[in-house]
C-alpha cells in the first residue's frame, strides 16, 4: 500500500516531468557522488542516472508529494516492504528507461559499470545496519534551486511525521554532509548509523524518526 499523506499535494502523472527536472536541479551538487565522480560532467551524468532510475522505482511502488501543484519542493516515500530492488521489481518499474539510457550514454562503459557497483556496495553496507521494520522510507527530499532556506523542507517533513505518528511507524532516510544531518536533527531525527566505503568513496548517515506514542 502506498503512503497517503494528508495536507500535501499528491504529485500526478502530469507532473512527472516537472518533478524530474526539479530533482535534477536540486541534486546538481549531490555530495554522495563527489568522491566517486570528481569530474563535473561525469558526475552530472551519474546524477541523471540516479534520478531516472530511483524515481521510476518510487513512482511505481511509492508516492511523491509537494506542498502544492507548483512542485517547488517534493518528498518521495515508500513503505519498507516495497524497498526490495529485486530484478523483477526493477524491470516492472522500467528503472533503466530512456532517460537512464540517455544519461548512461554520456559515460564510458567502465563508468557505467562503476555506477552499478557503487550502488551494489551501497546496498550491502546498508544491509549491515539494524534498521527497524516496518518503516517509512524517504528516498528523496528536495527544494527547487533558489527557494531553499524558506522552511519548505521542514514543512513537508512535518506532514510526513504526522503521518508516521498516526500509523505508529518510524521514518528512515539517509543523507550526506553535516548541513543535512543538522537539518534532520532539527526536525526530530536521530542518527541510526553511518556507512562508509573507501573503494567507492562515499559516506552515508542514516537517520531515524521515532513516532510519538499515542495517548489514550
Amino acid at each position: 500500500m502506498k503512503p497517503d499523506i494528508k495536507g500535501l499535494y499528491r504529485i500526478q502523472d502530469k507532473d512527472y516531468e516537472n518533478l524530474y527536472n526539479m530533482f535534477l536541479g536540486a541534486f546538481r551538487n549531490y555530495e554522495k557522488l563527489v568522491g566517486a565522480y570528481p569530474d563535473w560532467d561525469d558526475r552530472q551524468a551519474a546524477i541523471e542516472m540516479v534520478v531516472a532510475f530511483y524515481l521510476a522505482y518510487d513512482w511505481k511502488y511509492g508516492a511523491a508529494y509537494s506542498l502544492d501543484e507548483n512542485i517547488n519542493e517534493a518528498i518521495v516515500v515508500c513503505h519498507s516492504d516495497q524497498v526490495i530492488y529485486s530484478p523483477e521489481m526493477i524491470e516492472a518499474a522500467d528503472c533503466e528507461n530512456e532517460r537512464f539510457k540517455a544519461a548512461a550514454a554520456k559515460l564510458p562503459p567502465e563508468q557505467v559499470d562503476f555506477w552499478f557497483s557503487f550502488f551494489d556496495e551501497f546496498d550491502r553496507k546498508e544491509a549491515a545496519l539494524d534498521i527497524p521494520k516496518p518503516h517509512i522510507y524517504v528516498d528523496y527530499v528536495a527544494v527547487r534551486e533558489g527557494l531553499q532556506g524558506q522552511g519548505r523542507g521542514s514543512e513537508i517533513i512535518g506532514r510526513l511525521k504526522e503521518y508516521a505518528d498516526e500509523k505508529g511507524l518510524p521514518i528512515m532516510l539517509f543523507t550526506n554532509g553535516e548541513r543535512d544531518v543538522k537539518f534532520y536533527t532539527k526536525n526530530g531525527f536521530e542518527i541510526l548509523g553511518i556507512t562508509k566505503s573507501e573503494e567507492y568513496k562515499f559516506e552515508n548517515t542514516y537517520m531515524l524518526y521515532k513516532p510519538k506514542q499515542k495517548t489514550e
Side-chain angles (χ1 to χ4, degrees):
M1 183 179 68
K2 296 186 177 185
D4 183 17
I5 305 172
K6 306 300 182 185
L8 293 176
Y9 172 69
R10 174 76 171 267
I11 298 176
Q12 307 295 313
D13 287 345
K14 66 181 179 63
D15 304 311
Y16 192 91
E17 191 74 20
N18 191 4
L19 177 67
Y20 177 82
N21 289 326
M22 189 274 288
F23 279 139
L24 283 186
F27 296 142
R28 193 179 304 277
N29 295 305
Y30 195 28
E31 290 190 39
K32 186 172 71 173
L33 292 178
V34 170
Y37 291 92
D39 178 81
W40 172 265
D41 290 334
D42 288 350
R43 186 161 66 252
Q44 296 314 298
I47 290 169
E48 290 177 34
M49 291 169 69
V50 171
V51 176
F53 187 98
Y54 287 99
L55 186 57
Y57 188 95
D58 297 333
W59 198 257
K60 175 73 173 178
Y61 302 109
Y65 290 90
S66 186
L67 295 177
D68 55 45
E69 294 185 15
N70 293 318
I71 324 294
N72 285 320
E73 64 294 306
I75 190 167
V76 182
V77 293
C78 296
H79 284 302
S80 58
D81 60 357
Q82 296 296 305
V83 187
I84 300 170
Y85 301 122
S86 68
E88 294 79 14
M89 294 180 75
I90 288 172
E91 182 177 1
D94 192 25
C95 293
E96 296 184 37
N97 49 56
E98 291 305 314
R99 286 188 176 94
F100 179 88
K101 292 176 182 176
K106 299 176 184 179
L107 294 172
E110 62 271 17
Q111 287 280 44
V112 175
D113 292 340
F114 179 86
W115 188 95
F116 282 104
S117 298
F118 178 98
F119 284 97
D120 285 345
E121 175 73 353
F122 173 93
D123 290 340
R124 285 194 295 271
K125 294 285 185 179
E126 181 178 300
L129 295 176
D130 185 19
I131 298 173
K133 288 188 177 179
H135 64 260
I136 302 162
Y137 176 64
V138 178
D139 205 359
Y140 290 122
V141 181
V143 176
R144 193 179 297 277
E145 287 182 294
L147 297 178
Q148 293 93 345
Q150 300 178 3
R152 295 169 182 270
S154 293
E155 184 174 352
I156 206 167
I157 285 287
R159 295 292 186 181
L160 178 61
K161 288 163 55 180
E162 291 173 3
Y163 174 81
D165 293 341
E166 176 189 342
K167 297 297 182 182
L169 291 172
I171 305 169
M172 195 278 289
L173 54 82
F174 71 88
T175 191
N176 320 100
E178 184 178 351
R179 183 186 66 177
D180 289 344
V181 171
K182 286 182 178 179
F183 168 81
Y184 288 111
T185 300
K186 182 186 72 174
N187 281 283
F189 286 73
E190 302 172 358
I191 294 177
L192 176 66
I194 297 174
T195 63
K196 299 180 182 180
S197 173
E198 293 299 327
E199 181 179 1
Y200 294 98
K201 296 181 173 59
F202 69 76
E203 177 176 318
N204 294 326
T205 301
Y206 286 78
M207 307 197 73
L208 189 74
Y209 170 79
K210 297 177 181 178
K212 294 178 181 177
Q213 298 294 321
K214 292 183 179 180
T215 56
E216 298 295 335

